[in-house]
Amino acid sequence: MASKFLLTFAICRLIVTVGLTLDPTELLRLELEGQLSLEPADVGSASRDFGGMQTAHPMAVLHPASAQDVARLVKSAYESAHGLGISARGHGHSINGQAMTANGLVIQMSGLRKPTPPRVSEKSMYVDVWGGELWIDVLRSTLEYGLAPKSWTDYLYLSVGGTLSNAGISGQAFNHGPQFTNVYELDVVTGKGELLTCSKEQNSELYDAVLGGLGQFGIITRARIALERAPRRVRWIRVLYSNFTAFTQDQEYLISLAGQPQKFDYVEGFVIVDEGLINNWRSSFFSPRNPVKISSLYADGGVLYCLEITKNYQESNADTIDQEVEALLKRLNFIPASVFTTDLPYVDFLDRVHKAELKLRAKNLWDVPHPWLNLFVPKSRIADFDKGVFKGILGNNTSGPILIYPMNKNKWDDKTSVVTPNEDVFYLVALLRSALDNGDEMQGLEYLSNQNRRILQFCDEAGINVKQYLPHYTTQQEWIRHFGEKWTLFSRRKMEFDPRHILATGQRIFAPLLNPRGASF
């Protein structure tokens, strides 16, 4: 009775404050177990994201108590004659308002309220988790059993549903594939309000659509994630290159070892184009007492490249780790005497970015605009990208880390919704910049955003067929070009699973159908 009273009160406030177009009795009949909130803190939080470049105010925010809450709300919006946009929000780490909705409802999947705790199956080596669960909490839960997921993102304070709706990538992807290839089963609420279990064997069309589907086909309420025995420690190594060809050849050699026992477990890299310490917000890896400056090394075009690799190990094989690492390093062509090494617990390595986050928060440098640009670049054109962008457009100022590392396309499932370059190997190039209002024009949001546009224009004019990861476009024609030959399948799946276009409208892929069902728009 109390919850129904609160819901009635919330609906009345919606009518008064924002002019709710949905019939209030439709919401009352939902009998939601969770909380429908109009609190300024909830609405304000849902109206912004990590990107800090856009705002969109929802009418209300639902904190669901179950998957059934999510299904009831979506079904009500689908069946309503008025229509209502629905966006699922995890930890709010989107860059361009993808999880926002204006004059709709946001379902806050992550937060203090967790409908179901993680459930680990030691026998079958998987964990069932709520779609809004953060990966850091998945890790903590599975480590209690000595287990861990196989594939990660660099930052663990992201929701499971959020990363699976994109791909979820880090330095393990060359070997295990992205996170979404390590999922056995999903529970999904479609745009019709249906709560369905899907996998490769059951409702496979929905399963393939949702993975990498940018939230367009359903809201993930549960994921069954593959596990492996968790290593105890990590040997973390960084080596430097002044020659881009040597750098990429070594990266490509290392990922060619996927599936073999003698390999590194993580392969990434980053670009250094500005003077100063070879360090960044992603870690405190290099000692401030032992600074390395670009000017002290020969750098082709003023640019250095850092290969970042790890080898996992247990206490039982710690005595052989030196030999294994040395054997792998002998095959590489980095700058002599540029090897930086540290050993640390597995958890500390996976959670390395969060430690840097805390330092930036202490300096008020975290909650700033983040005009990030993430691109998949085909292997055949990565050298052209280096010349035109790293040694050209960027100059000597980055305003944040620039990641670059290759992945094996055969580790990606082409039946999913995600699109990648049509080559056996492609690179992620991630420009993870922060815009600062400190009087330096080259660190400002306008300058960095214009630089992103110049990079995309350069790729277009040079014929480099890049694909955006965490894509952002403003017109459907741009989306059609992005998806290419997958567009027909993508749009057909949309009509099947979200025919009224009510889900994830912040992606700006499909115009909402807010008329009664059957009407055109």
Side-chain angles (χ1 to χ4, degrees):
M1 180 65 70
S3 61
K4 189 170 184 178
F5 170 78
L6 291 174
L7 179 58
T8 304
F9 178 69
I11 294 170
C12 290
R13 287 184 60 189
L14 280 172
I15 296 171
V16 172
T17 58
V18 297
L20 178 66
T21 59
L22 188 67
D23 186 345
T25 60
E26 296 178 32
L27 286 179
L28 283 174
R29 286 196 299 267
L30 298 183
E31 298 183 354
L32 299 172
E33 301 171 14
Q35 179 190 8
L36 186 66
S37 173
L38 284 85
E39 292 301 320
D42 285 336
V43 174
S45 178
S47 69
R48 57 183 182 271
D49 61 17
F50 180 72
M53 297 178 288
Q54 298 190 27
T55 58
H57 292 83
M59 293 191 296
V61 177
L62 173 67
H63 300 273
S66 64
Q68 287 72 27
D69 270 1
V70 178
R72 290 176 187 128
L73 186 64
V74 175
K75 185 176 179 62
S76 179
Y78 171 68
E79 293 181 343
S80 170
H82 303 285
L84 193 67
I86 304 288
S87 286
R89 183 179 189 270
H91 199 51
H93 210 74
S94 297
I95 301 300
N96 292 289
Q98 289 95 331
M100 297 181 192
T101 183
N103 298 320
L105 295 177
V106 166
I107 301 177
Q108 182 60 56
M109 298 293 290
S110 303
L112 296 177
R113 179 191 290 270
K114 296 183 179 181
T116 56
R119 296 187 297 273
V120 175
S121 172
E122 290 183 88
K123 180 180 179 180
S124 300
M125 299 287 281
Y126 67 72
V127 58
D128 283 324
V129 299
W130 171 248
E133 196 79 52
L134 301 186
W135 284 100
I136 182 65
D137 295 322
V138 176
L139 176 62
R140 290 166 178 161
S141 298
T142 57
L143 283 177
E144 294 179 7
Y145 300 85
L147 303 173
K150 300 175 181 180
S151 191
W152 295 97
T153 56
D154 286 338
Y155 181 59
L156 302 187
Y157 288 74
L158 305 173
S159 71
V160 169
T163 65
L164 297 183
S165 295
N166 288 280
I169 54 176
S170 185
Q172 303 89 2
F174 81 95
N175 188 46
H176 293 296
Q179 288 181 315
F180 72 18
T181 63
N182 294 276
V183 173
Y184 295 137
E185 187 178 273
L186 301 170
D187 284 346
V188 173
V189 174
T190 71
K192 301 175 184 178
E194 303 167 309
L195 177 56
L196 301 174
T197 298
C198 57
S199 65
K200 280 296 184 185
E201 294 74 33
Q202 179 183 7
N203 294 315
S204 59
E205 184 78 6
L206 177 62
Y207 176 83
D208 291 334
V210 167
L211 295 175
L214 307 175
Q216 292 300 300
F217 311 105
I219 298 171
I220 298 171
T221 59
R222 178 185 64 90
R224 177 166 292 180
I225 301 165
L227 302 177
E228 65 178 359
R229 292 294 167 191
R232 295 294 299 275
R233 296 187 63 77
V234 170
R235 173 70 55 85
W236 186 8
I237 305 157
R238 286 177 175 174
V239 295
L240 300 177
Y241 294 76
S242 59
N243 182 278
F244 186 72
T245 299
F247 171 68
T248 54
Q249 284 180 345
D250 280 358
Q251 282 194 318
E252 290 163 18
Y253 163 70
L254 291 176
I255 71 166
S256 75
L257 302 177
Q260 301 183 27
Q262 298 304 316
K263 66 179 182 307
F264 286 115
D265 297 292
Y266 162 102
V267 177
E268 284 199 15
F270 55 91
V271 181
I272 306 157
V273 301
D274 51 356
E275 190 67 55
L277 291 175
I278 304 175
N279 201 357
N280 54 66
W281 62 266
R282 300 176 68 235
S283 74
S284 55
F285 187 91
F286 297 109
S287 169
R289 295 187 298 274
N290 184 30
V292 178
K293 289 178 176 280
I294 293 176
S295 57
S296 68
L297 300 166
Y298 170 74
D300 182 15
V303 179
L304 284 175
Y305 311 93
C306 181
L307 172 65
E308 184 173 61
I309 44 187
T310 70
K311 186 69 176 174
N312 301 335
Y313 63 98
Q314 306 287 359
E315 301 292 352
S316 59
N317 67 330
D319 57 339
T320 64
I321 189 68
D322 291 341
Q323 294 174 321
E324 294 178 35
V325 168
E326 186 62 29
L328 289 166
L329 289 178
K330 281 182 178 179
R331 299 291 301 270
L332 308 182
N333 296 294
F334 50 85
I335 298 173
S338 72
V339 182
F340 298 80
T341 302
T342 188
D343 286 65
L344 70 168
Y346 182 62
V347 176
D348 290 355
F349 171 73
L350 291 180
D351 200 29
R352 62 200 179 280
V353 176
H354 181 57
K355 295 179 180 179
E357 173 193 347
L358 297 178
K359 294 178 182 179
L360 289 177
R361 285 189 182 278
K363 299 177 182 179
N364 294 319
L365 294 176
W366 183 259
D367 293 320
V368 298
H370 295 93
W372 287 9
L373 180 63
N374 296 272
L375 301 173
F376 289 145
V377 182
K379 169 189 167 181
S380 64
R381 303 301 305 276
I382 194 65
D384 297 321
F385 190 94
D386 169 60
K387 294 175 184 176
V389 177
F390 302 150
K391 296 186 177 81
I393 293 173
L394 291 181
N396 63 353
N397 182 32
T398 64
S399 297
I402 306 172
L403 308 188
I404 173 172
Y405 57 92
M407 287 173 281
N408 293 311
K409 189 176 179 69
N410 63 7
K411 297 294 183 177
W412 292 64
D413 187 347
D414 195 51
K415 291 184 179 180
T416 63
S417 294
V418 76
V419 287
T420 61
N422 191 26
E423 293 190 7
D424 291 341
V425 171
F426 60 89
Y427 280 78
L428 171 74
V429 176
L431 294 95
L432 309 180
R433 281 100 70 80
S434 300
L436 303 178
D437 187 14
N438 59 3
D440 184 345
E441 179 186 355
M442 295 179 66
Q443 295 186 23
L445 177 59
E446 182 178 0
Y447 181 88
L448 296 177
S449 297
N450 286 335
Q451 199 172 65
N452 285 345
R453 286 189 282 270
R454 287 177 59 202
I455 292 170
L456 292 172
Q457 182 180 1
F458 162 76
C459 291
D460 190 46
E461 293 175 351
I464 303 176
N465 187 24
V466 299
K467 295 294 183 182
Q468 286 191 35
Y469 177 60
L470 312 179
H472 169 64
Y473 300 101
T474 57
T475 69
Q476 192 173 82
Q477 283 303 118
E478 291 174 313
W479 281 109
I480 291 173
R481 180 182 178 188
H482 169 78
F483 284 106
E485 62 184 19
K486 276 193 173 183
W487 174 254
T488 299
L489 176 62
F490 193 88
S491 56
R492 179 180 63 77
R493 286 171 168 175
K494 183 69 170 178
M495 289 306 299
E496 180 177 356
F497 299 117
D498 182 24
R500 296 193 64 195
H501 303 176
I502 64 176
L503 296 179
T505 56
Q507 294 280 7
R508 302 181 186 178
I509 304 176
F510 297 95
L513 285 170
L514 299 182
N515 293 326
R517 279 179 296 166
S520 60
F521 75 110

